[in-house]
Amino acid sequence: MIINRIIFKLFNIYKIVNQLKNLNKDKYVIIISFLFFPLLLLMMFSYYPALKQFELSFLRWDGFSPTREFVGFDNYIDVLKDRETLMTLQNNLVYLAVMLVQTALALYLAIVLDGWIKAKNFFKAVIFLPYILNGIAVAFMFSYMYDFDVSPINEILRSLGFKGIHFLNGNYIDNLALAGIGMWRYTGLSMVIFLGALQSIPKELYEAAAIDGAGYWKMICCITIPNIKRILNVTLLLGINGAMQAYYEAFVITRGGPAGRTHTFITSTLEIAFQFRNYGKASALAVVLLFIILLIVFIQRSFLKESR
């Protein structure tokens, strides 16, 4: 299957090259000019650092010494044997689960706001607003909201005669509170993406289905979801990548504590690299994260296969 996909991609590249040959010289130069600089920047700031990180994962280096010791797969063995790696994976899986809820909520809001309701532009703006806020500022805001003593939520509850809520108890459930920040912030972005996809579906399909006696949920399952499957795939891909690379919530609010119970892959990588000065192991952990993301994406695409 993988070989077939590679052949298919190479065949597409071959067709593109042939199409470029048929263009006149001026158009050919324009296309190459537009592609050259973005590809150059991509190579410089994405692919080259990724290759250097992969190289560092086989070395022992403190980040300052001019000498680097080749250790083979020792860094990977240390990462896979480390109990904190499993704990970190479990923490990130909470973010992944919340991301799935976020995607479902965003799709529901998009379907509702795509209908004929009053002030829908106002609701779109309000729901999308958290996404344009600075992530670190949002984390500081929620660190204040989650503080048991000064939280405005707890102040309101106490004024009503109730006890305050411990949002952060120093246990595994803290990851749910931290992941909820990302859900609050990114639901609007997913909703806007879904809205664009919904507006591309011909309204005649819904009218024909209504004439045939299809109900509301039948239209959602048989018309809406199949027509936005490609966009759903893209949204889930972005969500998986974001959930597995979440860091600013734990970095700002809990610093990965207590005892690593809220560490994510990124905060663990930063701690290993900059606090313990072990850039080789940090790079190995980053490479392991890359393969975990690829595995999850492969599983996601297997469940949402598109017919060709």
Side-chain angles (χ1 to χ4, degrees):
M1 181 64 70
I2 295 176
I3 296 176
N4 289 338
R5 289 184 179 179
I6 294 174
I7 295 173
F8 180 75
K9 295 295 184 183
L10 291 176
F11 180 69
N12 284 339
I13 294 173
Y14 174 75
K15 289 196 298 183
I16 293 172
V17 171
N18 282 337
Q19 289 173 0
L20 289 175
K21 288 180 180 179
N22 296 328
L23 296 175
N24 59 49
K25 186 177 179 180
D26 293 337
K27 290 184 178 180
Y28 187 81
V29 171
I30 291 174
I31 292 174
I32 295 299
S33 300
F34 273 100
L35 290 176
F36 176 74
F37 290 104
L39 289 176
L40 179 63
L41 293 174
L42 187 65
M43 295 292 293
M44 289 175 58
F45 297 106
S46 293
Y47 294 131
Y48 177 72
L51 291 175
K52 292 298 292 183
Q53 178 178 274
F54 188 74
E55 177 190 352
L56 281 175
S57 67
F58 295 100
L59 304 175
R60 181 177 288 114
W61 185 47
D62 61 2
F64 296 100
S65 175
T67 59
R68 305 178 184 183
E69 180 186 356
F70 179 77
V71 295
F73 289 94
D74 288 355
N75 290 323
Y76 289 96
I77 294 173
D78 289 344
V79 166
L80 296 177
K81 283 185 176 181
D82 195 345
R83 187 179 62 87
E84 291 186 1
T85 303
L86 179 60
M87 182 186 299
T88 301
L89 176 61
Q90 292 173 344
N91 296 342
N92 271 101
L93 289 178
V94 175
Y95 290 82
L96 191 64
V98 171
M99 182 276 299
L100 296 176
V101 177
Q102 166 199 312
T103 303
L105 177 61
L107 179 58
Y108 170 76
L109 291 172
I111 292 173
V112 171
L113 293 176
D114 190 47
W116 298 97
I117 65 171
K118 294 182 179 179
K120 63 180 180 180
N121 289 331
F122 169 77
F123 290 113
K124 290 177 187 177
V126 170
I127 297 172
F128 184 74
L129 181 63
Y131 175 70
I132 67 176
L133 300 178
N134 180 272
I136 301 299
V138 169
F140 275 112
M141 179 184 72
F142 272 90
S143 67
Y144 176 71
M145 296 287 290
Y146 285 165
D147 191 295
F148 178 76
D149 297 319
V150 299
S151 171
I153 299 174
N154 286 340
E155 290 294 333
I156 295 174
L157 290 175
R158 292 189 188 102
S159 66
L160 296 175
F162 299 100
K163 293 183 179 180
I165 301 173
H166 287 278
F167 295 98
L168 300 174
N169 291 315
N171 53 35
Y172 185 71
I173 304 299
D174 291 356
N175 293 291
L176 189 61
L178 297 176
I181 301 174
M183 179 177 174
W184 176 81
R185 188 178 178 216
Y186 291 107
T187 297
L189 174 63
S190 300
M191 179 198 70
V192 169
I193 295 174
F194 284 133
L195 273 171
L198 291 174
Q199 291 171 3
S200 67
I201 302 175
K203 301 301 180 185
E204 292 80 4
L205 294 177
Y206 294 103
E207 293 173 0
I211 293 174
D212 290 339
Y216 180 76
W217 291 109
K218 190 71 173 179
M219 294 183 189
I220 297 296
C221 296
C222 297
I223 298 177
T224 303
I225 301 299
N227 279 279
I228 65 168
K229 184 178 286 188
R230 190 178 295 256
I231 300 300
L232 182 60
N233 260 318
V234 173
T235 306
L236 286 174
L237 175 63
L238 295 174
I240 291 169
N241 185 61
M244 297 306 294
Q245 297 194 58
Y247 82 96
Y248 70 84
E249 300 94 343
F251 183 78
V252 172
I253 298 177
T254 62
R255 293 285 179 177
R261 289 188 179 92
T262 57
H263 258 316
T264 64
F265 274 103
I266 303 300
T267 58
S268 293
T269 302
L270 294 174
E271 183 181 67
I272 293 171
F274 296 105
Q275 185 173 338
F276 297 106
R277 300 295 178 186
N278 192 341
Y279 282 76
K281 184 178 179 181
S283 299
L285 183 60
V287 174
V288 169
L289 172 61
L290 171 63
F291 282 104
I292 291 175
I293 293 175
L294 291 176
L295 176 62
I296 296 174
V297 169
F298 174 77
I299 295 172
Q300 172 247 317
R301 291 184 67 85
S302 299
F303 276 104
L304 292 176
K305 277 185 178 178
E306 293 184 27
S307 58
R308 293 188 181 274

